[in-house]
Amino acid sequence: MPHWSVATTDLPLPTVPCPGADPELERFGRLAAGHLGAPVALVSVLTDTEQLILGAVGLPPDLEAARRLPLTHALCLEVVRREEAVVVPDARDDPALAAHGAVTDLDVVAYVGCPLRDDEGKVVGALCAIDTAARAWTDEQVAYLADLAAACTSELRLRGERERARRTQRVATEAHRHGRLLLTMAEAFTAATTVAEVTRAVSRVAAIGLGATMSGVALLDADGHGLTYTSMDAFDGHGVEALRHAALTDDRPVAHVARTRVPLYFRDHTALVRRFPGMAGIDAGRDRPLPDGGRAVLPLVSRGRLLGVLTLGWPVPRDFRQENREVKAALAGYTAQALERALLLDQRRDVARTLQDAMLTALPQPDRFRLAASYLPAAQEDQVGGDWYDGLVLPDGDLVAVVGDVTGHDMDAAARMGQLRSTLRAFAWDRPDGAPSSWLARLDRADAGLGMGTVASALVARCAPLGTAADGTPGGTPGGVRVTWSNAGHPAPVLVRPGAGGRLLDPGSDLLLGVDPARDRRDHATDLRPGDTLLLYTDGLVERRDVALPHALERLAREAGRLADREPDRLVRELTAALVDGRPADDVAVLAVRVQAPDRR
């Protein structure tokens, strides 16, 4: 049997094997060659530029390795063009084929090929038998080859279906992974309320979801002229500080992305340095080089405003396909939104703290008294609430101590609290000869008459050294103090006496402010000795859902008595820590007034 061989060494055969070569299709070649008695049989499909040989029998070594032929040497192109079987007993006698490359260069003489069709019936290749000698192909041989070609077509279609199914599965898997990653991103950033929490969430998502071992968030400086990294996770080592800040005019990836708002992707660090040569000098200052892996530098933009730049790094080179870039863009989008929220909350917290500081002014420290206070808000976002404390020295030297509680735990409650607090201070200063009940009554009427409409509890106490009180009562304990108070629906004060513990001063309370300004209000009085402490507080210190109020008040008195010898500032601090476990459910304000012994000099 003659052997097919390449007749010229000028034929440009590729050295890369055909990626579609399949042992299963070799079987069709063997069946065709065996039944037709041909030395060569091929299962081939055409591309726009070449013939791919998927199954073959009888190829010479060079073609066996390449499994590709240029279209100039592809006789199956005639089958594709004609869309029917091509039968050639002797190509040398066929004017249309005598000069064909397969005839002149590959010694093809006799040829018979039947069409292979795709799912739409289009002819894409041929199953053919080849001989290097002239021969007459019988009708039975052509019919057999046509049947075999039909079976081969079915196999190719089945393989196509399988490949489409695999592609669909890959797309579905990638979509599922993409969806889970987006969900992970959303969940990771939901609870982030500070810039530090956002950068930690970025690092976690980048590591778990994207495999990035390095991440850094650079925020735009307040002047808009530079960027400063707030986090540089894994960008460690001596010399890393040189990377922390960048001017927008620098020839660095982070500055370029900030200027253009267009992301940059680098297969490896070498490519990055090739694009930005100035980075080589910064790298030279490090005690150990960065890994030569992939880099992504992404703008952080929210509602058209540039907030900063996100840098991600991988330990090995990385090719960024389009779907990968979309995931990185999604991470940058989530990061930008979370950063904008965190920055706004930071600004709000700054405003709230300024507001609270303005309302909770420094306490006076007159000679006969030592005052200390503690304030703990329930609203962690604003750090303000409706509870307040106050201390005021009247023109005659008496001390006024106040605690109050406006409904709410936000900036609105704090604003309404400020109105009541300032109004009460003005009434007490304007009528220094008045009793606490008169000041609260005037405040209640003003609350209604001025349209403030605020419901609040408050307790006002006036502390006067005995013999100089407003009612002129003389005598009493040497160095003692007469305390007169009025209670508008507020928790009762506690008297803390060294050696005697703490006890509740609870003769009852009157109606809340803002309910019925016509109702009468009462005053109550008791005497304090030097060393005694009057403790005023808001209900957040004692009220618990799982503890009955009488039990909570008993514990308050007991804990306050245990701390009777503490200095006032330590007393309020340790008492709050003992009764409030972690973040309070309600605002907490505590005010301690310690009676000092008179100066005998």
Side-chain angles (χ1 to χ4, degrees), residues 31 63 79 88-89 111 378 427 504 541 592:
L31 289 172
L63 281 180
V79 179
V88 181
Y111 176 90
F427 287 161
L504 223 59
L541 184 66

Side-chain angles (χ1 to χ4, degrees), residues 116-124 153-162 164 167:
L116 299 176
R117 301 178 184 272
D118 62 12
D119 292 342
E120 297 177 353
K122 179 182 177 182
V123 178
V124 294
T153 291
S154 298
E155 175 65 20
L156 290 175
R157 287 178 176 176
L158 180 59
R159 291 183 176 278
E161 289 293 337
R162 290 172 181 169
R164 281 190 291 274
R167 285 199 300 267

Side-chain angles (χ1 to χ4, degrees), residues 528-547:
L528 303 183
R529 305 172 186 173
D532 286 353
T533 301
L534 180 68
L535 196 65
L536 310 181
Y537 56 94
T538 57
D539 56 9
L541 184 66
V542 291
E543 288 189 352
R544 302 289 181 271
R545 290 183 179 180
D546 56 346
V547 179

Side-chain angles (χ1 to χ4, degrees), residues 364-367 369 371 390-402 423-436 438-439 442 460-465 468-471 482 484:
Q365 298 295 341
D367 291 341
F369 303 98
L371 283 75
D390 198 7
L392 173 68
V393 178
L394 297 176
D396 61 4
D398 287 0
L399 173 71
V400 176
V402 182
T423 304
L424 181 58
R425 285 171 65 90
F427 287 161
W429 183 263
D430 181 59
R431 301 285 178 87
D433 56 343
S438 68
W439 300 332
R442 292 186 68 190
V460 180
R462 178 173 188 152
C463 304
T468 61
D471 62 1
R482 170 68 51 84
T484 305

